[in-house]
Amino acid sequence: EIFSSLNPVDFEYLVCALFESMDYKTSLTKLSYDGGIDIHAEKSELGHKERIIIQCKRYTKQTIGVSEARMLLGVVHDRKVTKGILITTTKFSPESKKIEVNNPSIELIDYSDLIKLLNTHLGTYWTEKLDKIINEQKIKKKAVNKR
C-alpha cells in the first residue's frame, strides 16, 4: 500500500536513497528520453568496480513480463555496464525470472525483496521517514543540476 501512494518519480527517489545507503554513488536520469534507465549507480572499491543501471516500475497490479526483462538485458549490453536491475512494486512472471536465472547481468527485484532491502538498509521504520527520505533526494538532485 505504501508504494501505491507514491508517484513514479518519488518511487525513483526512494530507490535512489536505498542504493546510496548501500554505498553506491547514484544519479537520477531525466524524466523523459532516459533510454529505459532511471538511475545510474556506481561503486568503486579496490579490486571491484561496479556500474549499474536501475529501472523502476511502480505498478499496482500489473505483473512484469518477459519483454521487460529482455529489454533490460539489451540495455545492459548496449551500455556496457556491470549489471541492470529492474525493481517493481508488483511481481515478475515466471518467464521473466527464467531470463534472470540465465543472465547474471540482470537482477529482478519484486515488492517483497524490495521491502527486505529497504528494511535492511533504511531501517524497519523507513515508512515513517518516507517523506524525509524523498525530500533529501530531491534536494540532492537540485544541487547537482545547479552545478
Side-chain angles (χ1 to χ4, degrees), residues 115-140:
I115 290 170
K116 289 175 192 172
L117 284 171
L118 289 165
N119 286 340
T120 300
H121 296 282
L122 295 180
T124 53
Y125 298 106
W126 64 269
T127 55
E128 294 172 16
K129 303 181 286 185
L130 188 57
D131 289 338
K132 181 181 180 206
I133 293 167
I134 290 169
N135 286 331
E136 286 175 355
Q137 288 298 314
K138 288 178 180 180
I139 290 167
K140 285 180 187 178

Side-chain angles (χ1 to χ4, degrees), residues 76-91:
V76 167
H77 290 297
D78 182 57
R79 297 293 179 102
K80 302 192 181 7
V81 295
T82 312
K83 181 167 49 173
I85 301 175
L86 179 54
I87 299 177
T88 186
T89 54
T90 60
K91 58 185 179 175

Side-chain angles (χ1 to χ4, degrees), residues 24-140:
Y24 284 89
K25 292 181 182 176
T26 64
S27 62
L28 288 154
T29 62
K30 296 182 288 184
L31 295 178
S32 57
Y33 305 108
D34 59 14
I37 302 167
D38 297 313
I39 301 168
H40 294 272
E42 290 189 22
K43 187 186 277 190
S44 187
E45 299 170 355
L46 187 60
H48 181 75
K49 184 175 182 178
E50 200 173 6
R51 289 180 51 223
I52 295 175
I53 55 172
I54 303 169
Q55 190 173 38
C56 302
K57 298 286 184 193
R58 191 205 56 82
Y59 294 149
T60 51
K61 296 181 182 178
Q62 183 177 347
T63 299
I64 305 294
V66 69
S67 62
E68 295 284 348
R70 284 187 183 135
M71 282 195 301
L72 178 63
L73 187 59
V75 174
V76 167
H77 290 297
D78 182 57
R79 297 293 179 102
K80 302 192 181 7
V81 295
T82 312
K83 181 167 49 173
I85 301 175
L86 179 54
I87 299 177
T88 186
T89 54
T90 60
K91 58 185 179 175
F92 294 97
S93 70
E95 295 84 12
S96 62
K97 294 300 281 181
K98 285 179 188 174
I99 296 286
E100 176 189 30
V101 167
N102 293 323
N103 295 282
S105 60
I106 65 168
E107 184 175 355
L108 307 179
I109 298 174
D110 66 10
Y111 70 95
S112 62
D113 288 335
L114 176 58
I115 290 170
K116 289 175 192 172
L117 284 171
L118 289 165
N119 286 340
T120 300
H121 296 282
L122 295 180
T124 53
Y125 298 106
W126 64 269
T127 55
E128 294 172 16
K129 303 181 286 185
L130 188 57
D131 289 338
K132 181 181 180 206
I133 293 167
I134 290 169
N135 286 331
E136 286 175 355
Q137 288 298 314
K138 288 178 180 180
I139 290 167
K140 285 180 187 178

